């Protein structure tokens, strides 16, 4: 050993207390030594430590108590306000039917799950052998014997069936995920190559108005009290020669006062030189399709070459026609030019943010890719321009489904017409802000396509289009994206997943419930990058909406009564507020310019009209006898039933320490609870 070496012996501190460690880290001069070489902590330090821990415990308990109390008060308030009057029930969509077959199935499934959970809890604390290795003489009591018999029956008969169904749904899930991935790759290729629809020839000669084609603008509406004025005003400001443009306001409202106000709004614009007509049907049949069909039957329509359709809450920019109609020039095979939707209230609440994610993916990816590579996509019902000859060749508007826009698009595609999608041309509109309005909209959007598929399948098979186009229509457009998606979403994540908690032999792998869904949600959210913080809420909300979409798909496929219902999506007039501000700014800029005096006058007239109409609305409401009924938030029983079902399955997974399965079921159950209590979206009293 070298002379300079020093041997140091350190005793292992086996009995250090928490107080001693805390004192040392707090700057105490005493080193960390064994108890016999260090003085004990003072009673004051020990008391302080105990009091600190008690304080933290009580703070946590207090926080949980306040949160639980707030939650239970919200539930109690929802339950107390859920009693609706007979008039309200008539206005509500499918909710009285929630006591139908699907709701009864959910209730039965929930009751069985609760009973199974009780048995599993008893088995867990009794420490019964779950592997069926106990000899018969070790089984104590009838309950344990019944439990063992259930395990044997489950292993031999139920588990194989559940595994087969789950594998089938997983295959559908993977196919749909591959389709979504292919669409994203197609969108990436479009961005990478900077592909855009091209215009043939030169623009129209501004000096020669006769070079512009004749355009008909149709604004179908029904009881659109909140938005009719701004939609009419936006259409009247379209930059197109006045003698080459006709605006039809197609009003199906059943309120005489509202009809009068819309007619007055049309009359005020006609006095300013706008070629605009007000039409009201005496016999309101066929909903929007019947309204458009009636308008196209007018004799003067034969003088027009194109028709632009704008729903009541859509407000196109003045250059809308100049950006869309040139794409028909030199392309006689083009029958439709579709613009993209833009939302004025996408940041209004959580519900509108989640809708924006879905619709951004629909327009940015689905519509753009299908339009660029297939020249076909589903018409969105508004913000599009049709060649009137294409409508006539395809049979015109039919009243056989509630998705007349998809119906005419499919028939036009079967007749050889091509579609053009313009992702850069955006038309302002608004999203439904209440869950009730959104649910009604989604029911119509998912029941109509299945109803249409039954009607169109023979025509698709007999059509003269190529086999590739037939396969795309049948397998991708209808079956995969309209039937398979809602089917596996509901079956796999709302039925099979909680079921596997009680049948562990058929447990779903982690990549099915976690990795792949998160990756697909990431792809869905790419077109709206500002929504990345809502990735997990979006994934949970999409699974929550699967019950509505599945119910709608089944009703449309089997032509149940609810598939024929058309409920106008409620508007709040958010776009009206922003539009009035935009008009005021534009008016202030145009007023000093001498060349823009006429246009400034038109904008000023529109603002005045809005104030006049607002005062008239207040007068009409004041004349209504009796106090108006207050609208209330509702309870959605199917969503609540699934919430308790998923939470029951989460409790069962907690016994087995499943980890990710538990957290997914817990948060998915809570999301169903939030939606079932109508705590998402616009809140009313």
């Amino acid at each position: 050993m070298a002379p300079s070496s020093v041997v140091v012996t350190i005793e292992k501190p086996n009995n250090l207390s928490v107080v001693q460690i805390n004192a040392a880290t707090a700057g105490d001069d005493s080193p960390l030594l064994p108890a016999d070489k260090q003085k004990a902590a003072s009673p004051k330090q020990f008391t302080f430590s105990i009091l600190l821990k008690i304080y933290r415990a009580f703070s946590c308990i207090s926080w949980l108590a306040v949160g639980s109390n707030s939650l239970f008060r919200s539930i109690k308030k929802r339950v107390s306000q859920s009693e609706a009057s007979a008039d309200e029930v008539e206005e509500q969509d499918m909710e009285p039917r929630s006591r139908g077959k699907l709701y009864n199935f959910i209730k039965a499934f929930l009751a069985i799950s609760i009973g199974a959970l009780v048995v599993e809890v008893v088995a867990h604390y009794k420490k019964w052998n779950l592997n069926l290795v106990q000899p018969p003489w070790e089984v104590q009591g009838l309950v344990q014997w019944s439990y063992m018999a259930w395990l044997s029956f489950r292993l031999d008969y139920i588990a194989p069936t559940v595994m087969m169904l789950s594998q089938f749904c997983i295959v559908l899930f993977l196919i749909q995920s591959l389709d979504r991935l292919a669409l994203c790759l197609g969108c990436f290729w479009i961005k990478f190559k900077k592909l855009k629809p091209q215009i043939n020839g030169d623009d129209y000669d501004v000096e020669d108005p006769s070079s512009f084609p004749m355009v008909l603008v149709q604004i179908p509406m029904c009881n659109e009290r909140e938005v009719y004025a701004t939609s009419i005003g936006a259409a009247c400001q379209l930059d197109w020669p006045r003698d080459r443009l006709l605006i039809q306001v197609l009003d199906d409202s059943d309120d005489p006062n509202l009809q009068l106000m819309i007619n007055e709004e049309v009359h005020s614009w006609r006095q300013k030189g706008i070629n605009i007509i007000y039409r009201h049907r005496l016999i309101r049949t066929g909903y929007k399709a019947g309204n458009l069909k009636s308008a196209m039957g007018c004799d003067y329509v034969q003088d027009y070459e194109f028709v632009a359709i704008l729903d009541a809450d859509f407000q196109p920019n003045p250059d809308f026609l100049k950006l869309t109609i040139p794409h028909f020039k030199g392309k006689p095979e083009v029958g439709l030019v579709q613009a993209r939707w833009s939302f004025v209230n996408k940041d209004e609440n959580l519900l509108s943010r989640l809708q924006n994610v879905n619709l951004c993916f629909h327009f940015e990816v689905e519509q753009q890719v299908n339009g660029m590579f297939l020249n076909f996509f589903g018409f969105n019902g508004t913000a599009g321009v049709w060649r009137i000859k294409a409508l006539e060749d395809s049979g015109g508007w039919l009243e056989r489904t509630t998705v007349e826009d998809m119906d005419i698009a499919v028939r036009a595609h079967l007749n050889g017409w091509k579609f053009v999608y313009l992702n850069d041309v955006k038309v302002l509109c608004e999203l439904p802000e209440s869950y009730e309005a959104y649910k009604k909209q989604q029911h119509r959007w998912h029941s109509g396509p299945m109803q249409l598929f039954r009607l169109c399948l023979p025509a698709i098979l007999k059509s003269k289009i190529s086999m590739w186009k037939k396969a795309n229509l049948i397998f991708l457009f209808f079956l995969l994206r309209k039937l398979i998606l809602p089917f596996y979403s509901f079956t796999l994540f709302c039925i099979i997943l909680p079921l596997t908690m009680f049948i562990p032999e058929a447990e779903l792998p982690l990549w099915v419930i976690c990795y792949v869904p998160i990756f697909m949600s990431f792809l869905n959210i790419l077109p709206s990058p500002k929504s990345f913080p809502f990735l997990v809420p979006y994934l949970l909300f999409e699974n929550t909406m699967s019950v509505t979409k599945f119910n709608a798909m089944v009703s449309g496929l089997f032509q149940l009564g609810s598939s024929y219902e058309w409920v106008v999506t409620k508007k709040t007039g958010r776009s009206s507020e922003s539009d009035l501000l935009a008009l005021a700014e534009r008016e202030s800029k145009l007023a000093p310019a001498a060349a823009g005096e006429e246009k400034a006058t038109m904008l000023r007239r529109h603002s005045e009209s809005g104030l006049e109409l607002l005062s008239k609305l207040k007068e009409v409401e004041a004349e209504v006898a009796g106090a108006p009924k207050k609208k209330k938030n509702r309870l959605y029983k199917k969503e609540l039933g699934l919430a308790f079902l998923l939470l029951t399955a989460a409790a069962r997974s907690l016994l087995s320490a499943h980890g990710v399965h538990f957290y997914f079921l817990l948060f998915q159950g809570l999301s169903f609870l939030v939606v079932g209590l109508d705590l998402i979206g616009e809140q009313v009293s």
Side-chain angles (χ1 to χ4, degrees), residues 58 83 120 166 204 229 232 239 275 307 321 341 380 388 397 405 409 458 464 474 492 506 509 512 526 533 548 595:
F58 273 102
E83 298 296 331
E120 294 290 347
S166 63
Y204 297 107
I232 294 174
D239 188 7
N275 194 11
V307 54
L321 294 179
W341 298 2
N380 296 121
I388 294 181
W397 299 103
D405 46 6
K464 298 180 180 180
I474 296 175
L492 188 61
V512 173
L526 278 178
T548 297

Side-chain angles (χ1 to χ4, degrees), residues 188-204:
F188 173 77
W189 184 257
I190 291 174
K191 299 294 184 182
F192 179 72
K193 291 293 185 178
K194 299 181 180 180
L195 303 177
K196 290 184 179 180
Q198 300 298 323
I199 299 177
N200 293 341
D202 300 329
D203 294 336
Y204 297 107

Side-chain angles (χ1 to χ4, degrees), residues 23-167:
T25 55
D28 198 346
D29 295 335
S30 60
L32 295 177
L33 296 175
D36 56 348
K37 297 184 179 180
Q38 180 181 330
K39 66 177 182 179
S42 66
K44 290 184 178 181
Q45 291 177 329
F46 181 76
T47 303
F48 176 77
S49 176
I50 295 298
L51 291 177
L52 181 61
K53 293 181 179 180
I54 294 175
Y55 171 76
R56 290 175 178 175
F58 273 102
S59 298
C60 182
I61 294 173
S62 175
W63 180 81
L64 291 175
V66 172
S68 301
N69 183 49
S70 177
L71 176 62
F72 285 124
R73 287 178 62 185
S74 299
I75 295 175
K76 183 179 179 181
K77 183 179 179 181
R78 287 290 186 268
V79 173
S80 63
Q81 293 180 350
S82 63
E83 298 296 331
S85 63
D87 295 336
E88 290 174 338
V89 170
E90 292 179 0
E91 296 176 358
Q92 293 168 354
D93 57 325
M94 309 77 57
E95 199 56 20
R97 298 176 184 80
S98 64
R99 299 183 178 90
K101 295 181 179 180
L102 181 59
Y103 181 58
N104 290 334
F105 170 77
I106 294 174
K107 288 196 300 182
F109 195 9
L110 175 61
I112 296 173
S113 300
I114 293 176
L117 178 62
V118 173
V119 174
E120 294 290 347
V121 171
V122 173
H124 177 76
Y125 285 103
K126 290 285 186 179
K127 297 182 180 179
W128 289 343
N129 194 336
L130 305 184
N131 296 323
L132 299 178
V133 296
Q134 282 184 310
W137 56 85
E138 293 186 8
V139 177
Q140 301 176 358
L142 180 62
V143 176
Q144 186 177 3
W145 181 87
S146 301
Y147 181 68
M148 293 301 183
W150 153 248
L151 291 181
S152 178
F153 178 79
R154 183 185 76 186
L155 182 63
D156 295 336
Y157 299 101
I158 298 181
T161 304
V162 175
M163 290 177 64
M164 183 175 60
L165 180 60
S166 63
Q167 290 171 0

Side-chain angles (χ1 to χ4, degrees), residues 438-452:
Y438 180 62
K439 185 176 182 180
K440 293 176 181 179
Q441 181 195 72
Q442 292 300 303
H443 186 274
R444 176 167 55 87
W445 285 6
H446 287 82
S447 64
M450 286 296 95
Q451 189 182 13
L452 177 63

Side-chain angles (χ1 to χ4, degrees), residues 77 158 190 201 213 223 236 281 308 313 317 352 363 369 396 401 503-504 545-546 561 565 606 635 642 669:
K77 183 179 179 181
I158 298 181
I190 291 174
N223 298 324
C236 291
R281 295 191 298 163
D313 61 318
N317 291 327
S352 61
F363 287 106
V369 171
T401 69
I503 308 175
M545 284 303 300
S546 64
E565 293 180 352
H606 177 72
L635 294 178
L642 284 170

